[in-house]
Amino acid sequence: MAELAAVVFDLDDTLFDHSGAAAHGLGAWLATFHGPATPELTAAWFELQNRHFAAWRDGLVSMAEQRRRRIDGLFALLGRPAPDPAGLDALWAEYAAAYRTGWRRFDDAEAALALVAAAGLRTGILTNGPDELQNDKIATIGLIGRVGPVVTAESLGCAKPDPRAYAGLCAALGLDPASVLYVGDDHELDVVAARAAGLRAVHLDRRGTGPAGERDRIASLHELAAHLEQS
């Protein structure tokens, strides 16, 4: 097996608490015109996110359009009439501002970066998202210049699980895929597809809902150390 040379992280729900920020943002935003974000509405919001973001990831809609569809779907659930595209964009801007107020990194992110640095390994981020938004998150949570390169779906022109995304990451690092360990929360995108592209992979399963048969699984980034020793 090739010697381990780099550890690359997913961003959302791996280093950055996207789900926490999204739930916070939804609650703060809904309170301005509707009422509390019930557990059912919050679950529906995440279902809309997963469905329409996947359509963008697969190249079926634009980023702006997937955002409009998420707002439109929520308004249908609320029994409210669908605004026109300009109205949907304005509503998204309101939600996005509320979402931003909840931006934070996970408490174990700092420890993971320290572990990687102590092991003398390089770092990077591969994320399915647009350049400006993802780099803004990285800056806001205090990781700008500390984790790099930052490779986004927008910059690559393709997104995980497309094999070209992992190839683009390895090209940016100048490393053989077998020498790169990828760590992420989505088992299909961050583990199965990464391994298929030749990388090593560890599943960050914070909620304990991942496949029972996955051996390379951690519940926290504090547990990453053991996987850095397997070089």
Side-chain angles (χ1 to χ4, degrees):
M1 180 181 291
E3 184 176 358
L4 184 63
V7 179
V8 177
F9 298 90
D10 172 52
L11 181 59
D12 291 331
D13 286 328
T14 298
L15 297 175
F16 170 81
D17 186 6
H18 162 71
S19 291
H24 166 82
L26 177 67
W29 174 57
L30 276 181
T32 65
F33 68 90
H34 175 72
T38 64
E40 294 76 16
L41 273 177
T42 301
W45 178 245
F46 281 106
E47 192 282 326
L48 288 164
Q49 168 195 274
N50 295 340
R51 183 198 320 164
H52 295 301
F53 191 83
W56 170 81
R57 185 190 70 207
D58 296 340
L60 301 177
V61 297
S62 68
M63 179 61 72
E65 181 59 25
Q66 69 90 18
R67 289 169 172 170
R68 291 176 190 132
R69 291 184 180 188
R70 286 160 66 178
I71 300 293
D72 184 76
L74 180 66
F75 267 53
L77 291 172
L78 297 177
R80 291 172 173 262
D84 61 16
L88 292 171
D89 291 343
L91 287 164
W92 177 268
E94 293 173 3
Y95 162 73
Y99 166 58
R100 186 185 178 93
T101 64
W103 284 8
R104 68 177 186 87
R105 69 186 182 197
F106 285 105
D107 292 341
D108 54 8
E110 184 67 33
L113 295 177
L115 282 170
V116 174
L121 302 170
R122 296 170 60 189
T123 62
I125 288 175
L126 173 62
T127 172
N128 275 358
D131 283 339
E132 184 177 0
L133 177 63
Q134 301 304 77
N135 280 289
D136 197 13
K137 290 175 183 176
I138 292 166
T140 299
I141 64 175
L143 298 183
I144 193 74
R146 298 186 56 201
V147 185
V150 176
V151 182
T152 70
E154 183 178 40
S155 66
L156 289 170
C158 59
K160 300 178 293 182
D162 190 317
R164 294 174 298 169
Y166 311 96
L169 163 69
C170 293
L173 289 165
L175 293 174
D176 183 270
S179 69
V180 178
L181 175 67
Y182 192 64
V183 182
D185 68 293
D186 188 307
H187 191 260
E188 289 301 317
L189 302 185
D190 301 330
V191 179
V192 175
R195 287 176 181 156
L199 287 72
R200 310 180 200 190
V202 170
H203 184 211
L204 176 59
D205 187 13
R206 294 187 183 278
R207 298 179 178 85
T209 57
E214 176 55 59
R215 296 180 59 185
D216 293 319
R217 176 171 58 182
I218 57 178
S220 163
L221 291 175
H222 289 297
E223 300 172 19
L224 186 59
H227 294 274
L228 304 186
E229 297 166 0
Q230 299 174 11
S231 58

